[in-house]
Amino acid sequence: GGGEHLSRLMDSVQTAGHVEYYARKVKDCRITRDMTLALRNHYENESHESMLRIEELMNSRAGNGNMGILDFQAGLDGAIKEIMRDDIVQIRSGFERLDNALGGFEPTELVAIGGRTSVGKTAFSVRMAAQMAMRGTHVLYITSEMRAWQLVRRLLPQASGVDSWKFRTRTWNDYEKQKIWSEGREALESLPLKMMDRPLISMKDIRAAIAQTGCKAVFIDQLQHCKLPNMPMESSAIYRFCSELKETLIKSNVLGVLLCQLDRNRDRKQEDAPVLADLRGSSGIESTANTVLLLWEKKKADEKDSEPPPPLGQKRVEVIIGKAREGPRGGKIPLNFNGLKNLFEEAGYNSGEGE
């Protein structure tokens, strides 16, 4: 075979240079084996400890050999420089009281928004996405609930001032049609906002869409219509999906907002404010999300309420801060929902309050 054949033989022989590569392979196989055992244990005896063990193994796998150890004697300066970076831009929701309470959001964070059916999760998140886009953040909204043009129909009443029921019944007059094309279109066409509809959202779809659009914030509407990993228990599948989503956000440096349903049992106690345990698949969502916001339609006024009642024809919805890793927990932000405009506004900030 000559010298060329001998060279190929030499290249195929394992040397000291292959040690690190094979060490990583061995470690990955060990983590995979331990993950299988941990999932089996969680299936047989679901507990907080077993969930923490799964999270630990997921973090080990994501590290690919990097233990994530910060040596204060050697690496503290680098950590402080990372914290003080000028190019890290806070992403604000556009709801002033919520932003003041949480300090805004940052790329790589995962925000979960939970609420029962018809409370207004999609209307709230679409409004938040639009307000982020108004502030220059490139936003991608992925929906499994409706077509992309139907989401545009939710925004047009806010942008044009034409009542939402006229879009539903298609009963515009000539003046309103002109407003839709001029004021509505003009207000929306300049927004750095993209929308994508999928009947079943997979993690592959999310990763590809983030890469294609170059967005800085992605909204996923909603978790229960996503393609979850094939696992025996729904709670384990939700945890795995949320962990993979979190890993994707970190690698892409993107803020993620994930809409979630409440458990069916929640419908029997609508008069009580929801808590984290009411989330469907709560353990997986709670352990991976940086922030959890719970929407609650408050139908009865409380003696302790400092806000005036909503204007006639509107409903009061409170945003409950169920979890905030770097902020207050348990705070409530009162909002009014204007059905004519498909619009959430902060209580006390819109004209006509309490009339």
Side-chain angles (χ1 to χ4, degrees), residues 47 65 111 118 182 277 297 299 345:
S47 66
V111 180
S118 78
S182 57
E297 182 180 351
K299 296 184 178 180
E345 298 177 299

Side-chain angles (χ1 to χ4, degrees), residues 41-305:
N41 180 56
H42 184 69
Y43 174 67
E44 294 173 353
N45 182 25
E46 185 174 351
S47 66
H48 182 65
E49 289 74 18
S50 63
M51 187 65 77
L52 290 177
R53 175 58 177 162
I54 295 172
E55 182 175 8
E56 178 186 353
L57 290 169
M58 290 290 292
N59 291 335
S60 297
R61 170 172 284 178
N64 292 325
N66 179 9
M67 296 294 290
I69 297 173
L70 171 63
D71 184 347
F72 272 39
Q73 294 180 332
L76 187 58
D77 288 355
I80 295 176
K81 288 178 181 178
E82 181 69 19
I83 294 170
M84 303 291 288
R85 278 171 51 190
D86 294 332
D87 59 337
I88 296 181
V89 179
Q90 291 280 47
I91 300 175
R92 303 184 72 81
S93 70
F95 295 104
E96 186 173 340
R97 295 185 189 181
L98 183 61
D99 290 327
N100 290 341
L102 297 174
F105 306 113
E106 290 185 358
T108 75
E109 290 184 345
L110 175 59
V111 180
I113 299 176
R116 65 182 298 274
T117 303
S118 78
V119 73
K121 295 188 299 295
T122 296
F124 176 72
S125 60
V126 168
R127 180 62 179 172
M128 184 187 292
Q131 290 179 158
M132 286 181 179
M134 291 174 190
R135 288 160 173 77
T137 301
H138 288 253
V139 178
L140 169 65
Y141 197 103
I142 305 175
T143 177
S144 61
E145 293 271 277
M146 56 190 72
R147 300 294 300 275
W149 64 265
Q150 291 174 309
L151 289 175
V152 175
R153 188 172 68 184
R154 285 176 173 251
L155 286 171
L156 278 173
Q158 305 168 25
S160 66
V162 178
D163 290 347
S164 61
W165 66 269
K166 294 201 171 186
F167 288 86
R168 185 72 178 180
T169 58
R170 306 178 65 82
T171 54
W172 314 282
N173 57 39
D174 291 340
Y175 173 70
E176 289 166 337
K177 288 181 180 179
Q178 190 269 332
K179 287 190 68 177
I180 292 169
W181 278 103
S182 57
E183 297 178 22
R185 181 177 180 274
E186 184 178 344
L188 297 179
E189 69 176 347
S190 60
L191 295 180
L193 176 62
K194 296 179 176 63
M195 292 185 171
M196 183 179 85
D197 54 70
R198 284 285 188 279
L200 189 63
I201 306 169
S202 69
M203 187 57 63
K204 183 179 179 181
D205 291 333
I206 296 170
R207 289 170 179 156
I210 290 174
Q212 181 178 339
T213 61
C215 64
K216 289 301 178 184
V218 58
F219 285 71
I220 301 164
D221 185 6
Q222 60 175 318
L223 172 62
Q224 278 69 31
H225 290 175
C226 290
K227 187 176 182 180
L228 300 178
N230 186 17
M231 304 182 76
M233 296 184 63
E234 184 186 46
S235 59
S236 300
I238 288 176
Y239 178 81
R240 182 71 175 270
F241 180 88
C242 291
S243 297
E244 291 180 359
L245 175 59
K246 179 69 174 177
E247 182 181 351
T248 298
L249 298 175
I250 292 173
K251 289 182 177 179
S252 306
N253 196 37
V254 169
L255 168 70
V257 181
L258 179 64
L259 276 63
C260 314
Q261 287 182 349
L262 296 186
D263 192 273
R264 286 283 185 181
N265 292 328
R266 175 70 210 168
D267 289 341
R268 302 195 197 102
K269 47 180 181 178
Q270 297 179 22
E271 68 279 1
D272 297 330
V275 296
L276 284 176
D278 292 323
L279 285 171
R280 187 172 163 187
S282 58
S283 57
I285 299 168
E286 181 182 355
S287 60
T288 52
N290 298 81
T291 303
V292 179
L293 305 177
L294 301 169
L295 302 185
W296 176 44
E297 182 180 351
K298 194 169 185 179
K299 296 184 178 180
K300 293 183 180 179
D302 194 309
E303 294 179 356
K304 299 179 181 179
D305 286 346

Side-chain angles (χ1 to χ4, degrees), residues 95 127 314 334-338 343-347 349-350:
F95 295 104
R127 180 62 179 172
Q314 299 187 21
L335 303 177
N336 294 332
F337 179 67
N338 183 340
L343 177 65
F344 271 101
E345 298 177 299
E346 295 189 75
Y349 279 61
N350 58 323

